[in-house]
Amino acid sequence: MRLFVAIDLSQELRERIRGVGKGLGPSFRKTDPDDVHLTLKFLGEVREEKLDKVKVALAAVRVPALKLESTKIGSFPHILWLGVKLNSELAQLQQEVQRAVRPFALNDPRSFKPHLTIARFDSLTPEDEAVLKELLKERLVERWKASGFTLYRSTLTPAGPRYEALARFP
Ligand code: 2AM
C-alpha cells in the first residue's frame, strides 16, 4: 500500500483553493479541493503487515500546536502549488514524522518544501500559459490551525489518485 502522512486544511482554505481552480483552463488537471493536503512525508509502498508498526511509530510523535499560513502561488515543473510558511513548529513536526517512519519509508534526499498541489499540467495552451504567468504573481494568505496529522493511503486509479484516511494523530 502507498502511504503518506499529511496535515489537513481548513474549510476556508479549501474554498480559496477552489476559487483559484475556477480560473484554470483545460490544460490543468485540478486537484479536488477536498483532497488537497499538506504532505509531511511520502512513505511510498509499504507492506500491509507493517501498517500497525507505522501507526505505533506515528502515535509516539508529539504534535505541537500548529499555526499554519499559506503564502504564494508557485510552480515546480508540471505542478501548480500554494506554498505554506515553514515555521519552526511545522519544521519540527515534519522532522519528527520523518524520523518516526524512517524504517518504513522511501529515502528521499530532497528537502521539505511545504506546498499544496492545486493542479498538475503538461503542455499548456497559450491562454493557460497566460493564466499561469498571472497566478505566479499572486499571494494567497490564509491562516489555519492544525489539530494533528493523518496517515493516508493513496490508491492510483485511471481517474487519478484516491486518498483514504487510515488513522488520525491529534
Ligand atoms: P505532491 O502533492 O507534490 O504530488 C500523495 O501522493 C502525496 O504525497 C502528494 O501530496 C504528493 O505530493 C506527495 N509525494 C511526495 N513525494 C512523492 C512521490 N515520490 N510520489 C508520489 N507522491 C509524493
Side-chain angles (χ1 to χ4, degrees):
M1 51 199 340
R2 279 161 70 89
L3 300 179
F4 67 97
V5 176
I7 291 177
D8 295 322
L9 310 187
S10 66
Q11 204 49 42
E12 291 76 15
L13 181 51
R14 292 192 195 285
E15 292 314 318
R16 294 194 68 182
I17 290 172
R18 202 182 303 280
V20 175
K22 287 197 176 128
L24 300 177
S27 32
F28 292 96
R29 296 187 302 281
K30 292 183 255 178
T31 317
D32 180 338
D34 292 329
D35 278 344
V36 179
H37 50 258
L38 173 59
T39 299
L40 293 173
K41 176 69 190 165
F42 178 76
L43 283 74
E45 200 60 42
V46 175
R47 298 220 320 268
E48 198 154 351
E49 308 89 86
K50 302 268 185 200
L51 180 60
D52 284 341
K53 286 193 171 160
V54 172
K55 287 184 186 169
V56 168
L58 286 172
V61 171
R62 294 232 316 247
V63 186
L66 273 178
K67 285 187 186 160
L68 298 169
E69 187 176 326
S70 61
T71 55
K72 70 182 179 82
I73 294 182
S75 70
F76 300 143
H78 308 297
I79 292 189
L80 177 67
W81 48 258
L82 174 60
V84 175
K85 194 183 270 182
L86 184 56
N87 60 27
S88 58
E89 290 83 11
L90 177 58
Q92 185 194 329
L93 178 60
Q94 196 277 333
Q95 280 170 17
E96 289 199 17
V97 165
Q98 180 158 307
R99 195 172 309 134
V101 301
R102 185 165 295 145
F104 314 102
L106 278 180
N107 182 15
D108 186 346
R110 288 175 297 183
S111 63
F112 177 52
K113 295 202 185 73
H115 67 277
L116 311 170
T117 297
I118 300 174
R120 295 169 206 280
F121 56 91
D122 298 311
S123 58
L124 294 176
T125 60
E127 292 79 13
D128 278 337
E129 194 78 64
V131 166
L132 177 64
K133 196 166 161 226
E134 286 309 305
L135 274 176
L136 293 179
K137 297 177 191 161
E138 285 192 25
R139 292 177 62 78
L140 196 162
V141 177
E142 179 76 34
R143 298 186 177 86
W144 83 105
K145 283 186 188 150
S147 54
F149 60 86
T150 304
L151 175 65
Y152 279 98
R153 173 184 196 166
S154 159
T155 308
L156 301 177
T157 79
R162 278 195 6 244
Y163 303 135
E164 176 194 353
L166 298 181
R168 292 193 194 278
F169 300 89

